[in-house]
Amino acid sequence: MLPKVNQILHLQINTIDDEESKIEYKARIADITETTIVIEVPLNEQTGRLKKLYVGDELSTFFLSQGGVKHYFTTSVKGFREDVIRLVEIVKPEPEAVTQIQRRSFLRVLAELEIAVRLSDQIQFVAMTDDVGGGGISFICEGHIPIGVQALISCWVLVPYKNGVIEHIPLQGEVVRVKQLETGKQLAMVRFIEITDRDRQKLIRFCFERQMDFRKR
């Protein structure tokens, strides 16, 4: 079952920021094409604020059918359409991908991986990740580094697999939150804004391997 024009989609952003990922937004479906669902800009009903989305943002969504049954699917922002109002194009799921079981598209796992971060031509440093996922990462760095919310960074993550292969995965991200730690260091939470599908799959593969290790303990 797929949603229809004028139905309401309930959205959550799949992000490394735990607080942001819990916020639910609503958006009316304005149009449906062969490959996309076109929605209005999502609204946070608690604050009355519209949510700015970016191409590549991963979304967990559901809509209600008659009888109040929730139908879930995961999708991503594909682009935008300028009409009387700005509209957001998201990837239309295959009918069999819509389920009555809630799922999050990206698994996150605790992992200490070496990450090289380039904040600017003058500021480059090596840090350790705190957790890793297909949609973002967080890392711990020294407290004196001037990294702030909305900072754009280039990173290279060293990812080891169980078969002994080590991958260097490049990505670009935006800092969505910075938390000062009692140790004097700081935790930076980053969402990916540019990463190839192939490299994203490499990270997801690592996450599943790590999850399997945790389950065996």
Side-chain angles (χ1 to χ4, degrees), residues 24-196:
E24 183 177 298
Y25 301 91
K26 293 183 179 181
R28 187 184 69 87
I29 298 176
D31 191 18
I32 297 178
T33 71
E34 288 187 5
T35 59
T36 63
I37 296 175
V38 185
I39 62 174
E40 295 176 352
V41 176
L43 174 71
N44 181 336
E45 289 195 328
Q46 291 187 340
T47 64
R49 294 181 179 178
L50 298 175
K51 174 62 179 176
K52 184 176 182 180
L53 296 175
Y54 300 86
V55 172
D57 277 351
E58 298 288 336
L59 310 173
S60 292
T61 75
F62 74 86
F63 61 95
L64 298 174
S65 62
Q66 288 186 348
V69 178
K70 292 182 179 181
H71 298 270
Y72 297 92
F73 64 94
T74 56
T75 182
S76 61
V77 177
K78 190 174 183 180
F80 302 94
R81 183 190 295 184
E82 298 297 337
D83 206 327
V84 178
I85 59 174
R86 186 176 175 85
L87 300 172
V88 182
E89 297 177 332
I90 62 176
V91 176
K92 181 180 177 181
E94 296 295 330
E96 59 269 21
V98 179
T99 174
Q100 292 182 28
I101 301 173
Q102 185 173 15
R103 298 179 299 175
R104 299 300 293 264
S105 62
F106 289 141
L107 171 71
R108 290 213 315 266
V109 296
L110 295 173
E112 293 184 353
L113 304 179
E114 188 173 297
I115 179 171
V117 182
R118 181 177 180 272
L119 185 58
S120 66
D121 289 339
Q122 294 76 32
I123 304 175
Q124 302 176 44
F125 57 92
V126 175
M128 296 296 292
T129 63
D130 184 61
D131 65 13
V132 178
I137 57 173
S138 64
F139 62 81
I140 295 174
C141 62
E142 298 298 331
H144 63 81
I145 296 174
I147 188 168
V149 174
Q150 296 186 330
L152 301 180
I153 59 176
S154 298
C155 305
W156 294 264
V157 186
L158 198 66
V159 180
Y161 297 102
K162 294 177 71 173
N163 62 5
V165 172
I166 298 176
E167 295 276 5
H168 292 77
I169 298 179
L171 59 96
Q172 294 184 33
E174 178 187 17
V175 178
V176 296
R177 189 180 174 198
V178 178
K179 181 179 179 180
Q180 301 299 321
L181 304 178
E182 293 181 358
T183 59
K185 296 186 177 183
Q186 52 190 344
L187 175 69
M189 302 175 189
V190 179
R191 73 173 186 89
F192 300 152
I193 57 174
E194 188 172 326
I195 184 173
T196 67

